[in-house]
Amino acid sequence: MDSFQIHPNIYTLAILINSFSHLNRVDFAFSVLAKILKLGHRPNTATFNTLTRGLCVEEGKIGEALSLFDKMVVEGFQLNVFTYGTLMDGFCRVGNTSAAIKLSRSMEQGNCQPNVVVYTSMIDRLCKDKQLIEALSLFSEMITKGISPYIFTYDSDNSCSM
């Protein structure tokens, strides 16, 4: 950007982070984060959510995503349902549903509550892992909390082969 005499700001740099993350080039996204910090800007939760998502979709990077999540907590960033949901989905993608459920419990202890997307992600993984009782338990919990399932939730439930 500098070579084209375009002066980057926090918004253009956040767009670059998002783009690199979608291209599975999280390494470049973190380079842009370094540029943000060098310029004296403070990235926001959305920027870190994007980086977390990028790490979660790259194979073998879930540990780095968890480390980034922990740093966000330590630095005092306001975590939201997307922050938690992204990491929980990452855990589910690698088959670590127990870590996702544990994270959802810690989420509930804070000021954030799981939504239908979070529950559906965990139910889907439990069904794929043939953990039918656990999947039905989460489904019931979701209903009890007044969270209405949507078509993908039912689709996950059907894949449990009941």
Side-chain angles (χ1 to χ4, degrees):
M1 287 175 49
D2 291 330
S3 61
F4 293 109
Q5 296 182 0
I6 298 173
H7 303 289
N9 61 34
I10 189 72
Y11 304 107
T12 56
L13 293 171
I15 290 168
L16 279 175
I17 287 175
N18 188 43
S19 298
F20 284 134
S21 293
H22 282 290
L23 293 170
N24 293 327
R25 293 308 310 255
V26 181
D27 52 336
F28 288 162
F30 274 98
S31 294
V32 176
L33 176 63
K35 177 81 170 178
I36 288 173
L37 297 173
K38 183 179 176 184
L39 291 171
H41 298 296
R42 180 171 163 82
N44 61 18
T45 301
T47 302
F48 283 110
N49 288 347
T50 301
L51 289 165
T52 302
R53 190 202 65 75
L55 290 168
C56 285
V57 298
E58 268 194 47
E59 192 168 331
K61 301 256 181 173
I62 191 69
E64 291 178 47
L66 181 58
S67 294
L68 182 60
F69 179 88
D70 290 340
K71 286 178 186 174
M72 289 174 66
V73 171
V74 169
E75 293 291 321
F77 283 92
Q78 186 66 36
L79 305 180
N80 56 34
V81 69
F82 188 78
T83 310
Y84 283 98
T86 300
L87 189 56
M88 283 186 260
D89 186 60
F91 282 133
C92 288
R93 285 175 187 249
V94 297
N96 193 349
T97 313
S98 62
I101 293 170
K102 182 179 175 183
L103 188 59
S104 76
R105 300 301 178 226
S106 71
M107 174 186 191
E108 292 170 342
Q109 292 172 356
N111 62 353
C112 201
Q113 296 299 312
N115 63 13
V116 66
V117 176
V118 168
Y119 275 106
T120 299
S121 178
M122 292 186 294
I123 290 167
D124 183 60
R125 185 74 244 174
L126 288 167
C127 287
K128 288 176 180 171
D129 291 344
K130 306 297 183 206
Q131 296 179 28
L132 309 180
I133 294 170
E134 292 85 352
L136 286 172
S137 175
L138 270 182
F139 186 80
S140 295
E141 177 183 312
M142 182 178 81
I143 299 298
T144 301
K145 290 182 176 181
I147 300 171
S148 299
Y150 65 157
I151 189 69
F152 297 111
T153 312
Y154 288 117
D155 187 48
S156 297
D157 201 28
N158 288 333
S159 70
C160 282
S161 304
M162 293 182 264

